[in-house]
Amino acid sequence: MPVPKKNQSRQRQQTRRANWKAKTVGLVDCPNCSAKKRPHHVCKECGYYNGKKYINVEAKAA
Ligand SMILES: [Zn+2]
């Protein structure tokens, strides 16, 4: 197994980790109920995706 010859300096380690940032999640309006939903995902509010009902939201709530 290859092993690094030297420890990486703290400066270098921190420089690498400084570029690791959380991304903001994109949101689009649902064409069925106009609620905000994640793109390419079934709408949580109405259960529709691509004009078709995939999950029964009302049954889950009851
Ligand atoms: Zn919807």
PDB file of all heavy atoms in Angstrom, residues 15-42:
ATOM      1  N   THR A  15      -6.263  24.850   3.452  1.00  0.00           N
ATOM      2  CA  THR A  15      -6.559  25.462   2.152  1.00  0.00           C
ATOM      3  C   THR A  15      -7.501  24.565   1.355  1.00  0.00           C
ATOM      4  O   THR A  15      -8.437  25.036   0.723  1.00  0.00           O
ATOM      5  CB  THR A  15      -5.254  25.695   1.381  1.00  0.00           C
ATOM      6  OG1 THR A  15      -4.401  26.518   2.171  1.00  0.00           O
ATOM      7  CG2 THR A  15      -5.494  26.361   0.042  1.00  0.00           C
ATOM      8  N   ARG A  16      -7.245  23.247   1.406  1.00  0.00           N
ATOM      9  CA  ARG A  16      -8.120  22.297   0.711  1.00  0.00           C
ATOM     10  C   ARG A  16      -9.525  22.332   1.307  1.00  0.00           C
ATOM     11  O   ARG A  16     -10.516  22.389   0.591  1.00  0.00           O
ATOM     12  CB  ARG A  16      -7.517  20.890   0.819  1.00  0.00           C
ATOM     13  CG  ARG A  16      -8.465  19.804   0.382  1.00  0.00           C
ATOM     14  CD  ARG A  16      -7.775  18.475   0.144  1.00  0.00           C
ATOM     15  NE  ARG A  16      -6.663  18.218   1.026  1.00  0.00           N
ATOM     16  CZ  ARG A  16      -6.762  17.630   2.231  1.00  0.00           C
ATOM     17  NH1 ARG A  16      -7.931  17.253   2.694  1.00  0.00           N
ATOM     18  NH2 ARG A  16      -5.699  17.418   2.944  1.00  0.00           N
ATOM     19  N   ARG A  17      -9.601  22.317   2.643  1.00  0.00           N
ATOM     20  CA  ARG A  17     -10.903  22.260   3.296  1.00  0.00           C
ATOM     21  C   ARG A  17     -11.664  23.582   3.183  1.00  0.00           C
ATOM     22  O   ARG A  17     -12.889  23.608   3.345  1.00  0.00           O
ATOM     23  CB  ARG A  17     -10.731  21.888   4.767  1.00  0.00           C
ATOM     24  CG  ARG A  17     -10.362  20.421   4.905  1.00  0.00           C
ATOM     25  CD  ARG A  17     -10.088  20.023   6.315  1.00  0.00           C
ATOM     26  NE  ARG A  17      -9.589  18.647   6.369  1.00  0.00           N
ATOM     27  CZ  ARG A  17      -9.144  18.067   7.464  1.00  0.00           C
ATOM     28  NH1 ARG A  17      -9.124  18.727   8.593  1.00  0.00           N
ATOM     29  NH2 ARG A  17      -8.723  16.836   7.434  1.00  0.00           N
ATOM     30  N   ALA A  18     -10.957  24.664   2.908  1.00  0.00           N
ATOM     31  CA  ALA A  18     -11.613  25.965   2.793  1.00  0.00           C
ATOM     32  C   ALA A  18     -12.536  26.015   1.579  1.00  0.00           C
ATOM     33  O   ALA A  18     -13.475  26.802   1.537  1.00  0.00           O
ATOM     34  CB  ALA A  18     -10.564  27.075   2.694  1.00  0.00           C
ATOM     35  N   ASN A  19     -12.263  25.140   0.575  1.00  0.00           N
ATOM     36  CA  ASN A  19     -13.072  25.155  -0.630  1.00  0.00           C
ATOM     37  C   ASN A  19     -14.300  24.261  -0.525  1.00  0.00           C
ATOM     38  O   ASN A  19     -15.071  24.170  -1.460  1.00  0.00           O
ATOM     39  CB  ASN A  19     -12.227  24.709  -1.836  1.00  0.00           C
ATOM     40  CG  ASN A  19     -11.234  25.770  -2.210  1.00  0.00           C
ATOM     41  OD1 ASN A  19     -11.584  26.924  -2.395  1.00  0.00           O
ATOM     42  ND2 ASN A  19      -9.963  25.391  -2.281  1.00  0.00           N
ATOM     43  N   TRP A  20     -14.462  23.581   0.608  1.00  0.00           N
ATOM     44  CA  TRP A  20     -15.605  22.687   0.801  1.00  0.00           C
ATOM     45  C   TRP A  20     -16.744  23.493   1.398  1.00  0.00           C
ATOM     46  O   TRP A  20     -16.703  23.899   2.557  1.00  0.00           O
ATOM     47  CB  TRP A  20     -15.200  21.555   1.729  1.00  0.00           C
ATOM     48  CG  TRP A  20     -16.138  20.403   1.688  1.00  0.00           C
ATOM     49  CD1 TRP A  20     -16.047  19.315   0.875  1.00  0.00           C
ATOM     50  CD2 TRP A  20     -17.300  20.215   2.493  1.00  0.00           C
ATOM     51  NE1 TRP A  20     -17.106  18.468   1.131  1.00  0.00           N
ATOM     52  CE2 TRP A  20     -17.883  18.997   2.107  1.00  0.00           C
ATOM     53  CE3 TRP A  20     -17.938  20.975   3.487  1.00  0.00           C
ATOM     54  CZ2 TRP A  20     -19.055  18.517   2.691  1.00  0.00           C
ATOM     55  CZ3 TRP A  20     -19.092  20.484   4.064  1.00  0.00           C
ATOM     56  CH2 TRP A  20     -19.639  19.269   3.669  1.00  0.00           C
ATOM     57  N   LYS A  21     -17.756  23.763   0.562  1.00  0.00           N
ATOM     58  CA  LYS A  21     -18.880  24.580   1.025  1.00  0.00           C
ATOM     59  C   LYS A  21     -20.187  23.869   0.735  1.00  0.00           C
ATOM     60  O   LYS A  21     -20.296  23.103  -0.235  1.00  0.00           O
ATOM     61  CB  LYS A  21     -18.880  25.938   0.317  1.00  0.00           C
ATOM     62  CG  LYS A  21     -17.700  26.809   0.665  1.00  0.00           C
ATOM     63  CD  LYS A  21     -17.699  28.068  -0.186  1.00  0.00           C
ATOM     64  CE  LYS A  21     -16.332  28.688  -0.251  1.00  0.00           C
ATOM     65  NZ  LYS A  21     -15.530  28.181  -1.376  1.00  0.00           N
ATOM     66  N   ALA A  22     -21.175  24.138   1.553  1.00  0.00           N
ATOM     67  CA  ALA A  22     -22.519  23.593   1.319  1.00  0.00           C
ATOM     68  C   ALA A  22     -23.178  24.362   0.187  1.00  0.00           C
ATOM     69  O   ALA A  22     -23.097  25.588   0.130  1.00  0.00           O
ATOM     70  CB  ALA A  22     -23.349  23.705   2.593  1.00  0.00           C
ATOM     71  N   LYS A  23     -23.829  23.620  -0.726  1.00  0.00           N
ATOM     72  CA  LYS A  23     -24.507  24.255  -1.863  1.00  0.00           C
ATOM     73  C   LYS A  23     -25.956  24.526  -1.504  1.00  0.00           C
ATOM     74  O   LYS A  23     -26.567  23.775  -0.747  1.00  0.00           O
ATOM     75  CB  LYS A  23     -24.451  23.338  -3.086  1.00  0.00           C
ATOM     76  CG  LYS A  23     -23.120  23.356  -3.804  1.00  0.00           C
ATOM     77  CD  LYS A  23     -23.203  22.470  -5.037  1.00  0.00           C
ATOM     78  CE  LYS A  23     -22.318  21.253  -4.833  1.00  0.00           C
ATOM     79  NZ  LYS A  23     -22.603  20.170  -5.749  1.00  0.00           N
ATOM     80  N   THR A  24     -26.513  25.577  -2.071  1.00  0.00           N
ATOM     81  CA  THR A  24     -27.932  25.852  -1.857  1.00  0.00           C
ATOM     82  C   THR A  24     -28.754  24.957  -2.779  1.00  0.00           C
ATOM     83  O   THR A  24     -28.357  24.698  -3.913  1.00  0.00           O
ATOM     84  CB  THR A  24     -28.267  27.331  -2.137  1.00  0.00           C
ATOM     85  OG1 THR A  24     -27.783  27.659  -3.429  1.00  0.00           O
ATOM     86  CG2 THR A  24     -27.634  28.234  -1.103  1.00  0.00           C
ATOM     87  N   VAL A  25     -29.870  24.491  -2.287  1.00  0.00           N
ATOM     88  CA  VAL A  25     -30.733  23.601  -3.055  1.00  0.00           C
ATOM     89  C   VAL A  25     -31.631  24.447  -3.964  1.00  0.00           C
ATOM     90  O   VAL A  25     -32.245  25.410  -3.513  1.00  0.00           O
ATOM     91  CB  VAL A  25     -31.581  22.744  -2.084  1.00  0.00           C
ATOM     92  CG1 VAL A  25     -32.660  21.995  -2.851  1.00  0.00           C
ATOM     93  CG2 VAL A  25     -30.702  21.776  -1.329  1.00  0.00           C
ATOM     94  N   GLY A  26     -31.656  24.081  -5.245  1.00  0.00           N
ATOM     95  CA  GLY A  26     -32.504  24.788  -6.189  1.00  0.00           C
ATOM     96  C   GLY A  26     -33.959  24.405  -6.000  1.00  0.00           C
ATOM     97  O   GLY A  26     -34.261  23.268  -5.704  1.00  0.00           O
ATOM     98  N   LEU A  27     -34.871  25.348  -6.148  1.00  0.00           N
ATOM     99  CA  LEU A  27     -36.295  25.066  -6.006  1.00  0.00           C
ATOM    100  C   LEU A  27     -37.048  25.599  -7.226  1.00  0.00           C
ATOM    101  O   LEU A  27     -36.722  26.665  -7.741  1.00  0.00           O
ATOM    102  CB  LEU A  27     -36.848  25.728  -4.738  1.00  0.00           C
ATOM    103  CG  LEU A  27     -36.420  25.124  -3.394  1.00  0.00           C
ATOM    104  CD1 LEU A  27     -36.893  25.998  -2.256  1.00  0.00           C
ATOM    105  CD2 LEU A  27     -36.963  23.720  -3.224  1.00  0.00           C
ATOM    106  N   VAL A  28     -38.048  24.841  -7.677  1.00  0.00           N
ATOM    107  CA  VAL A  28     -38.887  25.282  -8.787  1.00  0.00           C
ATOM    108  C   VAL A  28     -40.338  25.256  -8.324  1.00  0.00           C
ATOM    109  O   VAL A  28     -40.684  24.597  -7.352  1.00  0.00           O
ATOM    110  CB  VAL A  28     -38.695  24.401 -10.044  1.00  0.00           C
ATOM    111  CG1 VAL A  28     -37.301  24.551 -10.621  1.00  0.00           C
ATOM    112  CG2 VAL A  28     -39.006  22.953  -9.751  1.00  0.00           C
ATOM    113  N   ASP A  29     -41.207  25.997  -9.045  1.00  0.00           N
ATOM    114  CA  ASP A  29     -42.634  25.996  -8.732  1.00  0.00           C
ATOM    115  C   ASP A  29     -43.278  24.755  -9.317  1.00  0.00           C
ATOM    116  O   ASP A  29     -43.046  24.403 -10.480  1.00  0.00           O
ATOM    117  CB  ASP A  29     -43.299  27.254  -9.318  1.00  0.00           C
ATOM    118  CG  ASP A  29     -42.819  28.510  -8.618  1.00  0.00           C
ATOM    119  OD1 ASP A  29     -42.662  28.464  -7.394  1.00  0.00           O
ATOM    120  OD2 ASP A  29     -42.603  29.523  -9.303  1.00  0.00           O
ATOM    121  N   CYS A  30     -44.109  24.083  -8.521  1.00  0.00           N
ATOM    122  CA  CYS A  30     -44.847  22.923  -9.008  1.00  0.00           C
ATOM    123  C   CYS A  30     -45.877  23.381 -10.025  1.00  0.00           C
ATOM    124  O   CYS A  30     -46.648  24.306  -9.757  1.00  0.00           O
ATOM    125  CB  CYS A  30     -45.526  22.219  -7.830  1.00  0.00           C
ATOM    126  SG  CYS A  30     -46.661  20.917  -8.315  1.00  0.00           S
ATOM    127  N   PRO A  31     -45.933  22.772 -11.224  1.00  0.00           N
ATOM    128  CA  PRO A  31     -46.915  23.213 -12.221  1.00  0.00           C
ATOM    129  C   PRO A  31     -48.347  22.860 -11.840  1.00  0.00           C
ATOM    130  O   PRO A  31     -49.300  23.427 -12.384  1.00  0.00           O
ATOM    131  CB  PRO A  31     -46.484  22.478 -13.498  1.00  0.00           C
ATOM    132  CG  PRO A  31     -45.628  21.352 -13.026  1.00  0.00           C
ATOM    133  CD  PRO A  31     -45.047  21.742 -11.717  1.00  0.00           C
ATOM    134  N   ASN A  32     -48.515  21.947 -10.905  1.00  0.00           N
ATOM    135  CA  ASN A  32     -49.859  21.513 -10.485  1.00  0.00           C
ATOM    136  C   ASN A  32     -50.417  22.369  -9.353  1.00  0.00           C
ATOM    137  O   ASN A  32     -51.554  22.811  -9.420  1.00  0.00           O
ATOM    138  CB  ASN A  32     -49.814  20.039 -10.084  1.00  0.00           C
ATOM    139  CG  ASN A  32     -51.198  19.470  -9.915  1.00  0.00           C
ATOM    140  OD1 ASN A  32     -52.005  19.493 -10.826  1.00  0.00           O
ATOM    141  ND2 ASN A  32     -51.471  18.961  -8.734  1.00  0.00           N
ATOM    142  N   CYS A  33     -49.626  22.609  -8.319  1.00  0.00           N
ATOM    143  CA  CYS A  33     -50.148  23.352  -7.167  1.00  0.00           C
ATOM    144  C   CYS A  33     -49.329  24.607  -6.879  1.00  0.00           C
ATOM    145  O   CYS A  33     -49.622  25.312  -5.931  1.00  0.00           O
ATOM    146  CB  CYS A  33     -50.165  22.444  -5.932  1.00  0.00           C
ATOM    147  SG  CYS A  33     -48.531  21.993  -5.322  1.00  0.00           S
ATOM    148  N   SER A  34     -48.286  24.868  -7.695  1.00  0.00           N
ATOM    149  CA  SER A  34     -47.435  26.063  -7.624  1.00  0.00           C
ATOM    150  C   SER A  34     -46.684  26.195  -6.291  1.00  0.00           C
ATOM    151  O   SER A  34     -46.220  27.269  -5.962  1.00  0.00           O
ATOM    152  CB  SER A  34     -48.205  27.342  -7.958  1.00  0.00           C
ATOM    153  OG  SER A  34     -49.090  27.690  -6.916  1.00  0.00           O
ATOM    154  N   ALA A  35     -46.573  25.114  -5.528  1.00  0.00           N
ATOM    155  CA  ALA A  35     -45.732  25.134  -4.337  1.00  0.00           C
ATOM    156  C   ALA A  35     -44.283  24.946  -4.762  1.00  0.00           C
ATOM    157  O   ALA A  35     -44.006  24.452  -5.852  1.00  0.00           O
ATOM    158  CB  ALA A  35     -46.158  24.013  -3.388  1.00  0.00           C
ATOM    159  N   LYS A  36     -43.363  25.357  -3.896  1.00  0.00           N
ATOM    160  CA  LYS A  36     -41.944  25.171  -4.212  1.00  0.00           C
ATOM    161  C   LYS A  36     -41.588  23.693  -4.056  1.00  0.00           C
ATOM    162  O   LYS A  36     -41.913  23.085  -3.034  1.00  0.00           O
ATOM    163  CB  LYS A  36     -41.083  26.010  -3.254  1.00  0.00           C
ATOM    164  CG  LYS A  36     -41.187  27.501  -3.483  1.00  0.00           C
ATOM    165  CD  LYS A  36     -40.343  27.940  -4.646  1.00  0.00           C
ATOM    166  CE  LYS A  36     -40.486  29.442  -4.872  1.00  0.00           C
ATOM    167  NZ  LYS A  36     -40.066  29.814  -6.227  1.00  0.00           N
ATOM    168  N   LYS A  37     -40.933  23.143  -5.065  1.00  0.00           N
ATOM    169  CA  LYS A  37     -40.504  21.751  -4.980  1.00  0.00           C
ATOM    170  C   LYS A  37     -39.118  21.614  -5.575  1.00  0.00           C
ATOM    171  O   LYS A  37     -38.654  22.493  -6.295  1.00  0.00           O
ATOM    172  CB  LYS A  37     -41.501  20.830  -5.698  1.00  0.00           C
ATOM    173  CG  LYS A  37     -41.480  20.949  -7.225  1.00  0.00           C
ATOM    174  CD  LYS A  37     -42.291  19.834  -7.846  1.00  0.00           C
ATOM    175  CE  LYS A  37     -42.021  19.684  -9.321  1.00  0.00           C
ATOM    176  NZ  LYS A  37     -40.738  19.020  -9.611  1.00  0.00           N
ATOM    177  N   ARG A  38     -38.439  20.503  -5.271  1.00  0.00           N
ATOM    178  CA  ARG A  38     -37.102  20.272  -5.821  1.00  0.00           C
ATOM    179  C   ARG A  38     -37.243  19.804  -7.255  1.00  0.00           C
ATOM    180  O   ARG A  38     -38.152  19.043  -7.579  1.00  0.00           O
ATOM    181  CB  ARG A  38     -36.372  19.221  -4.987  1.00  0.00           C
ATOM    182  CG  ARG A  38     -36.050  19.747  -3.601  1.00  0.00           C
ATOM    183  CD  ARG A  38     -35.006  18.915  -2.939  1.00  0.00           C
ATOM    184  NE  ARG A  38     -33.764  18.936  -3.715  1.00  0.00           N
ATOM    185  CZ  ARG A  38     -32.699  18.192  -3.425  1.00  0.00           C
ATOM    186  NH1 ARG A  38     -32.749  17.390  -2.415  1.00  0.00           N
ATOM    187  NH2 ARG A  38     -31.627  18.257  -4.155  1.00  0.00           N
ATOM    188  N   PRO A  39     -36.356  20.268  -8.151  1.00  0.00           N
ATOM    189  CA  PRO A  39     -36.469  19.860  -9.547  1.00  0.00           C
ATOM    190  C   PRO A  39     -36.252  18.358  -9.715  1.00  0.00           C
ATOM    191  O   PRO A  39     -35.427  17.763  -9.008  1.00  0.00           O
ATOM    192  CB  PRO A  39     -35.375  20.664 -10.253  1.00  0.00           C
ATOM    193  CG  PRO A  39     -34.492  21.195  -9.195  1.00  0.00           C
ATOM    194  CD  PRO A  39     -35.272  21.234  -7.922  1.00  0.00           C
ATOM    195  N   HIS A  40     -37.006  17.749 -10.633  1.00  0.00           N
ATOM    196  CA  HIS A  40     -36.941  16.315 -10.948  1.00  0.00           C
ATOM    197  C   HIS A  40     -37.372  15.443  -9.769  1.00  0.00           C
ATOM    198  O   HIS A  40     -36.957  14.290  -9.659  1.00  0.00           O
ATOM    199  CB  HIS A  40     -35.532  15.900 -11.428  1.00  0.00           C
ATOM    200  CG  HIS A  40     -34.974  16.817 -12.466  1.00  0.00           C
ATOM    201  ND1 HIS A  40     -35.493  16.905 -13.733  1.00  0.00           N
ATOM    202  CD2 HIS A  40     -33.963  17.719 -12.407  1.00  0.00           C
ATOM    203  CE1 HIS A  40     -34.798  17.815 -14.410  1.00  0.00           C
ATOM    204  NE2 HIS A  40     -33.875  18.331 -13.621  1.00  0.00           N
ATOM    205  N   HIS A  41     -38.189  16.015  -8.885  1.00  0.00           N
ATOM    206  CA  HIS A  41     -38.687  15.245  -7.753  1.00  0.00           C
ATOM    207  C   HIS A  41     -40.219  15.341  -7.739  1.00  0.00           C
ATOM    208  O   HIS A  41     -40.785  16.343  -8.184  1.00  0.00           O
ATOM    209  CB  HIS A  41     -38.149  15.816  -6.438  1.00  0.00           C
ATOM    210  CG  HIS A  41     -36.727  15.440  -6.156  1.00  0.00           C
ATOM    211  ND1 HIS A  41     -36.367  14.621  -5.114  1.00  0.00           N
ATOM    212  CD2 HIS A  41     -35.583  15.764  -6.788  1.00  0.00           C
ATOM    213  CE1 HIS A  41     -35.059  14.469  -5.123  1.00  0.00           C
ATOM    214  NE2 HIS A  41     -34.554  15.157  -6.131  1.00  0.00           N
ATOM    215  N   VAL A  42     -40.864  14.325  -7.189  1.00  0.00           N
ATOM    216  CA  VAL A  42     -42.315  14.367  -7.027  1.00  0.00           C
ATOM    217  C   VAL A  42     -42.653  15.473  -6.022  1.00  0.00           C
ATOM    218  O   VAL A  42     -41.960  15.633  -5.011  1.00  0.00           O
ATOM    219  CB  VAL A  42     -42.831  12.994  -6.539  1.00  0.00           C
ATOM    220  CG1 VAL A  42     -44.308  13.066  -6.175  1.00  0.00           C
ATOM    221  CG2 VAL A  42     -42.605  11.930  -7.592  1.00  0.00           C
TER     222      VAL A  42
END
